[in-house]
Amino acid sequence: MPLVRLDISHVRNLSSVRFEPSPQVNVIVGKNGSGKTSVLEAIHLLSFGRSFRSHKHKTYIQHENDACLVFAQLHQTQASPIRVGLQRHRDGQIDVRIQGQRAQSVIELAERLPVQLINPDAFRLLEGSPSIRRQFIDWGAFHFDKDFIPAWRGWQKALKQRNTLLRRGKISLSLLAAFDQELIRLGEQVNQSRKAYVEKLTPHFERVLSLLTSELSVNLQFFQGWDAQKNLAMAVEAGRERDIELGYTHTGPQRADLRVKTATGDALDTLSRGQQKLVVSALKIAQGQLLIEMGRPLVFLVDDLPAELDANHRQKLCRLLESLNSQIFITSVEPDTTDFTWADTTDVRQFVMNHGELSLLSKGLQES
Ligand SMILES: Nc1ncnc2c1ncn2[C@@H]1O[C@H](COP(=O)(O)OP(=O)(O)O)[C@@H](O)[C@H]1O
Ligand SMILES: [Mg+2]
């Protein structure tokens, strides 16, 4: 669902930014530190309830303000727009509103406003800890399987309880076995959902990557967190004694990973930053494409487009995003990095950011 109106208050240097984005392509240019990334950060906040730049909410709330607010209208094909809003207070409190009503959790926003981010930190998806890749898989599993979140929550709870028990020590094998049934049942459900998702994603990823570059051959392998030959019940049973020794659960879906390999070895070892960015972009675009195929439009945020990408690859990336027919927000320090690609029929709006003030430079279809 594209954003047809966006109001951002007190996010970093954005005291008050209000604008009507294009449902297709939005390009924001401006000098370093002018506030471009902060616009994307605000949209991300509205989808995830958290920033992609910092885990500490106090860093993105504007200095000397008690709270930041992001408010948007989301277009719907058959009905009037939905109003969604998120307010984050300095004391940590978070208020989510949908059509003026308080929502139970930020997950309700994520369902309505799926967002994919491609930014200069993208390589972290390859180089960072497995938890980053688990989050990536789980984002997809969440959007594809309505039972994923309840199963995931229940499994996390069972895992925490089990680890607390193990930390206390002096637990017998038989008592532990009695505790393990929920953990196994829900853990298996989480695992099946992740596995099914990665299977769906893989051919999309391969196709998207081949459109971005012909030079890379990369494959994805899902590691479920334990020996692939065993089911979770067998793995938990085989690991019980060791768990008691260690004082925590050492095997299971909490160790799952998405292994990204080139023909010659680990992606992270062999690829340049630019190539890594292409691989991660392909992963994220493939993820978005799957959702679009289900009739669920989403928003792509591309922060600092020129970073690590040459003109040829920038163009390919933009073309690909454009072909998905979804809403895109691109930032760039250089005004001329994006104005070459768009089709005549694409509604492109160019904005300039200057010291936290956003102004519209040009609007409308690229018809000559
Ligand atoms: N909590 C805050 N309150 C006010 N200003 C902030 C805060 N955090 C960062 N800033 C300022 O806001 C601006 C953020 O810019 P940013 O969005 O990163 O710019 P760009 O992406 O255009 O380079 C910077 O000038 C930074 O100094
Ligand atoms: Mg920036």
Side-chain angles (χ1 to χ4, degrees), residues 10-15 28-41 53 57-65 90 303-304 331-333 353 355-356:
H10 309 309
V11 174
R12 298 198 188 264
N13 68 335
L14 312 179
S15 302
I28 304 173
V29 295
K31 295 190 179 127
N32 286 327
S34 59
K36 303 179 298 296
T37 302
S38 303
V39 173
L40 306 196
E41 195 174 21
R53 287 208 272 196
H57 64 275
K58 283 179 193 157
T59 59
Y60 57 75
I61 298 174
Q62 191 171 41
H63 302 318
E64 291 160 29
N65 279 278
R90 214 164 259 286
D303 194 25
D304 201 356
T331 74
S332 176
V333 273
M353 183 61 88
H355 296 293

Side-chain angles (χ1 to χ4, degrees), residues 36 44 185 249 293 297 365:
K36 303 179 298 296
H44 192 277
R185 186 179 68 81
T249 311
E293 276 180 13
L365 305 179

Side-chain angles (χ1 to χ4, degrees), residues 6 51 55 132 206 241 281 292 298 301-302 323 347 354 359:
L6 197 64
S51 163
H55 291 300
I132 299 175
E206 286 167 357
E241 246 178 272
S281 300
I292 292 166
L298 77 165
L301 308 177
V302 184
S323 72
D347 178 352
N354 196 359
S359 45

